[in-house]
Amino acid sequence: GQNIDQPTEMTATEGAIVQINCTYQTSGFNGLFWYQQHAGEAPTFLSYNVLDGLEEKGRFSSFLSRSKGYSYLLLKELQMKDSASYLCAVRDILPGGYQKVTFGTGTKLQVIP
Amino acid sequence: DAMVIQNPRYQVTQFGKPVTLSCSQTLNHNVMYWYQQKSSQAPKLLFHYYDKDFNNEADTPDNFQSRRPNTSFCFLDIRSPGLGDAAMYLCATSRDRGSGGSETQYFGPGTRLLVL
């Protein structure tokens, strides 16, 4: 099975930087995804990490440490539209080669003026 | 534009009355997924199709069935909806080349199901 832990809620100020952490426990790790989900809408893909290190994509960066079972999503120059839930999702290779993606419960980020 | 389409966006059904939700995709992806997401909870995988192969999650109730008549379409059938089945149902697709690469999942807009 998998355990994925994220903070439930965070608040940050417009223009600031926020880091959303995700820890996981898995047996056949094969990649970690971050998704953004606005209320009532479907998740949209933000980033993917499978090797240790930092992946940067504009205002968004994602970091992975496989040995620690740890990832974070870094959002810079926060904008009001960044208020959303951020879902950490882990892909496992299960016995038989079957791949499965499991989502965390998400971190609800509120950006305030 | 290539996309994942779900119809309808909102579905109201009666307790115990069968309902079908549909998903179509123009991405030509070989994997299609159905997730259930309740308010403030993570999306929960119900099942997925890898090509024509159906993969059911161990804890998916028997009340939920799926059909994939061709690459583009996938249906979620709820045989006897209960009040607890009210949720957002998300369809997603991915291209799995078997290499374990960065095949992200692309989500449709979801169908919000209300059970009366």
Side-chain angles (χ1 to χ4, degrees):
Chain A
Q2 294 169 316
N3 288 320
I4 303 174
D5 290 313
Q6 307 178 233
T8 304
E9 294 181 343
M10 298 182 72
T11 302
T13 305
E14 189 177 15
I17 299 173
V18 70
Q19 178 174 312
I20 302 174
N21 297 325
C22 173
T23 58
Y24 63 90
Q25 294 175 315
T26 183
S27 54
F29 179 81
N30 190 33
L32 186 145
F33 301 84
W34 283 96
Y35 285 83
Q36 180 191 61
Q37 186 176 29
H38 285 98
E41 298 181 11
T44 56
F45 170 75
L46 290 177
S47 69
Y48 171 78
N49 295 72
V50 68
L51 300 176
D52 289 350
L54 188 69
E55 295 282 341
E56 297 188 76
K57 188 184 292 187
R59 293 191 298 116
F60 293 67
S61 303
S62 58
F63 172 83
L64 175 68
S65 169
R66 288 174 298 173
S67 62
K68 296 181 179 178
Y70 168 67
S71 174
Y72 67 72
L73 180 69
L74 194 70
L75 292 79
K76 304 175 186 175
E77 302 170 14
L78 279 173
Q79 302 175 8
M80 299 300 291
K81 66 178 182 179
D82 297 329
S83 294
S85 286
Y86 291 85
L87 304 169
C88 173
V90 174
R91 180 165 61 195
D92 261 334
I93 302 290
L94 301 178
Y98 163 46
Q99 295 193 41
K100 177 179 178 180
V101 174
T102 302
F103 284 80
T105 55
T107 298
K108 188 174 182 179
L109 174 66
Q110 183 180 15
V111 179
I112 57 176
Chain B
D1 289 338
M3 58 176 60
V4 181
I5 304 162
Q6 289 188 246
N7 284 307
R9 294 291 306 276
Y10 298 89
Q11 176 74 56
V12 181
T13 190
Q14 292 177 329
F15 183 94
K17 184 176 181 181
V19 66
T20 295
L21 310 182
S22 70
C23 177
S24 64
Q25 53 124 344
T26 60
L27 297 159
N28 202 31
H29 284 171
N30 60 330
V31 190
M32 294 187 77
Y33 309 79
W34 279 105
Y35 288 87
Q36 179 194 64
Q37 187 176 27
K38 297 186 178 181
S39 181
S40 301
Q41 296 184 20
K44 180 182 178 302
L45 183 63
L46 296 174
F47 26 58
H48 77 280
Y49 275 93
Y50 190 115
D51 294 319
K52 294 182 181 180
D53 294 332
F54 177 70
N55 296 273
N56 197 27
E57 293 301 298
D59 57 352
T60 297
D62 293 340
N63 198 26
F64 291 84
Q65 306 283 322
S66 186
R67 296 170 283 135
R68 189 179 186 187
N70 53 52
T71 300
S72 301
F73 285 87
C74 195
F75 300 99
L76 169 62
D77 300 309
I78 308 177
R79 291 190 300 184
S80 181
L83 298 179
D85 296 328
M88 173 78 87
Y89 289 88
L90 297 165
C91 173
T93 73
S94 68
R95 178 183 291 123
D96 192 330
R97 291 178 279 255
S99 62
S102 60
E103 293 92 359
T104 186
Q105 294 184 20
Y106 294 86
F107 284 84
T111 294
R112 186 168 293 282
L113 179 68
L114 180 63
V115 181
L116 301 178

